[in-house]
Amino acid sequence: MKEKILSVAILIAVLAFTTVNTIVLNNQIKDITDTIVSLSVEDDDAEKYAKAVYDEFKEKVKYISLTVSHDDIRDIEDCFVEMIGYLSVGDDNSAEVTKDRLTRSLEHLRRLSGFNIDAII
């Protein structure tokens, strides 16, 4: 009987931790995505703003990297660096393209960290 109780307790704990992790990841990634979407590459302060968002991402990645593929995180970091580089030289068109790639990468990451079949496979 003790084994059954322990098994149910472990199952409940795993489901609870998974749910909390999914909610936290979803909120963190959504915050960063919303901030990137609101970034206007034509602004004079766009580079400084993008660096601030990247710093925010680097703080959150400490938690995100516990359960997310490091390849996906590396791709997102590469997009951040590329976008900041384009903004620093004033290449607004390339920065906009990279911003769109970054947004799609973040949305993909959010989708994979949620409750769906893509996250299981």
Side-chain angles (χ1 to χ4, degrees), residues 15-120:
L15 290 174
F17 286 129
T18 303
T19 302
V20 168
N21 184 55
T22 300
I23 291 169
V24 169
L25 282 176
N26 188 32
N27 289 337
Q28 288 184 346
I29 295 169
K30 185 180 182 313
D31 290 344
I32 294 169
T33 304
D34 292 344
T35 306
I36 290 296
V37 167
S38 68
L39 173 70
S40 175
V41 296
E42 290 87 20
D43 288 346
D44 293 335
D45 292 336
E47 180 186 1
K48 185 170 69 171
Y49 188 65
K51 285 180 181 179
V53 176
Y54 183 45
D55 290 339
E56 178 185 350
F57 175 76
K58 286 192 291 189
E59 285 297 315
K60 291 181 178 186
V61 82
K62 293 174 186 173
Y63 179 79
I64 294 171
S65 67
L66 294 174
T67 55
V68 171
S69 167
H70 293 287
D71 291 335
D72 292 334
I73 292 172
R74 189 189 66 236
D75 291 343
I76 291 170
E77 288 177 340
D78 289 346
C79 284
F80 266 114
V81 170
E82 190 176 336
M83 184 177 68
I84 291 169
Y86 286 135
L87 290 171
S88 69
V89 297
D91 189 353
D92 293 344
N93 292 332
S94 296
E96 187 68 37
V97 170
T98 307
K99 175 186 156 186
D100 290 340
R101 278 191 14 238
L102 177 60
T103 304
R104 278 184 306 205
S105 295
L106 286 165
E107 285 297 326
H108 173 73
L109 186 65
R110 190 167 67 93
R111 188 179 70 249
L112 287 180
S113 64
F115 290 118
N116 56 49
I117 195 69
D118 292 336
I120 296 170

